[in-house]
Every structure is written in structure tokens, then in C-alpha cells.
Amino acid sequence: MPKQDLIKAVIRNKLFSLRQELDAREVQLMETFIQEGPESLRQKLGVSSDIIWRQIFDRLIFQKGVVKHCVLKFLPYFKYLMTEHGPGVLRSIFGIEEAKYDQVFENIFDFVAIGHNALYDHVYQNRHDYAQMIRKGHAKNLRSQLCIQAKRYDGLWQEFLEIIMKATCEELYSESVFDRGLTAFSLIINKTRTHRSLRSFAKMWEFSSEKGQ
């Protein structure tokens, strides 16, 4: 038997054995995936071949819906992750970055990001950072970064732009107020020619700092 055919036969036999194990221990294996993640499951199964692992992984993803089960069980955790790090974190955690997993991702995205407001919380929490990105011209791919490039998210994108625009106006207003306050402060000093410790104006500095955040 040619070497290539021998390798294929070995892979088929290995896959057959692992599929039998998956069927026999389905609940246990899914629980390991959910509790510890895909890499831990791979190590416990002792799968070194990327080809074989991808077969097992795709079976769990597409046929068993393991990602959905995982998100449902640990919803507060995944909502927290998305709020803190953005929606792309879910793709990297589950290892579903490839295009063939788009529908799987969209399902959990709609559930966590839209249904439970995680994306709204993320944008609002980071609105000033996104405002800075836009002002510096670094936001070309912002909509894709937020995973809302599909047309059905047009309304949501518009809402986020309004939040970011408002944050931009707040920053510009705060900077303007700070500049005017600093000018007025300098005029008073020059007019009275009185030397005072800056500590006497501590509250003014604190207020300006808070407004500029």
C-alpha cells in the first residue's frame, strides 16, 4: 500500500475510533468543552493531528451546538467579556475565526451582543476611546471591528455613531471650557500680581480634569 494511502487509512481509523468515543461520552465531552474550553478537550482526547481535531471540533460546533450551550450556561461571563473587550473576543475564545463559522458566531452575537445589550454597553463604556479614534482618522474599520457590518445592523450602527459623536462633542466642549478657564486664571494672576500657592486652586484643577476625562 502506498504511503499516502496508508496515512489516509490511519486517519480514517483514528477518526472512526474518536467518533465512537464522542458518541459514547457525548455529554461528558461537551461538558469538558463548556467548562474548560476546546484546547483542554483536545489535550484530554490526546489528539495531536490538526486534521483529526478539526473534524471533532466541527462535529461539536455544527452538529452538537456546543457553542450555544456554552454561552447559555455562562451568559454573564460572556457578556462581561464582550463588554470589556468587544465582540471579536468570542470568536477567538471559541476558535471560530474562519468564515465557515460566521453563522455560528452571528447566532451567539445576536443573543449576547444585541439581546443582552453587551455591545451597547461596550460602545458606551468605550465611547471616548472611539471618539479619539475617529478624530485621529483611525476608525476606518470600526464597524467591522464591532461586528455589525451587515446591512441589518444599519440602525444599530447609526445609534452607535450618535453615542460616539456625543462623546466627541463632550470632549471638545470640555477642552474649550478648560482653555477658557486657564486664560481667565492667567488674567487674574496678571491683574492682581498676587503670588498664591496652586493648592488654593486644587478644586478647580480637579473639576477641569474630571470634565476632560
Side-chain angles (χ1 to χ4, degrees), residues 17-109:
S17 299
L18 285 170
R19 282 172 181 166
Q20 284 187 317
E21 184 174 1
L22 280 172
D23 290 336
R25 301 168 52 201
E26 178 180 307
V27 175
Q28 181 183 349
L29 294 176
M30 286 184 64
E31 192 68 22
T32 299
F33 185 107
I34 293 169
Q35 295 284 356
E36 303 177 29
E39 281 304 314
S40 178
L41 175 59
R42 179 175 180 174
Q43 291 175 11
K44 289 186 175 183
L45 288 173
V47 179
S48 58
S49 168
D50 290 338
I51 296 175
I52 293 176
W53 168 247
R54 189 52 58 182
Q55 294 277 345
I56 297 170
F57 182 80
D58 285 354
R59 177 181 170 86
L60 290 171
I61 296 293
F62 294 119
Q63 296 182 30
K64 304 301 180 182
V66 68
V67 170
K68 177 183 176 181
H69 291 304
C70 191
V71 169
L72 285 172
K73 185 163 187 175
F74 299 104
L75 176 59
Y77 171 69
F78 289 111
K79 180 179 178 181
Y80 165 78
L81 281 181
M82 185 178 288
T83 301
E84 291 297 313
H85 304 289
V89 70
L90 295 187
R91 298 202 81 142
S92 59
I93 282 178
F94 288 115
I96 53 174
E97 292 97 335
E98 294 180 46
K100 67 178 180 178
Y101 302 114
D102 283 353
Q103 188 58 57
V104 175
F105 172 72
E106 286 178 14
N107 289 339
I108 61 172
F109 174 84

Side-chain angles (χ1 to χ4, degrees), residues 135 168-184 208 211-212:
R135 289 171 61 187
T168 302
C169 294
E170 288 173 355
E171 286 188 1
L172 292 174
Y173 175 76
S174 298
E175 291 173 6
S176 175
V177 170
F178 179 82
D179 289 341
R180 289 201 300 270
L182 188 60
T183 300
S208 298
K211 292 290 286 182

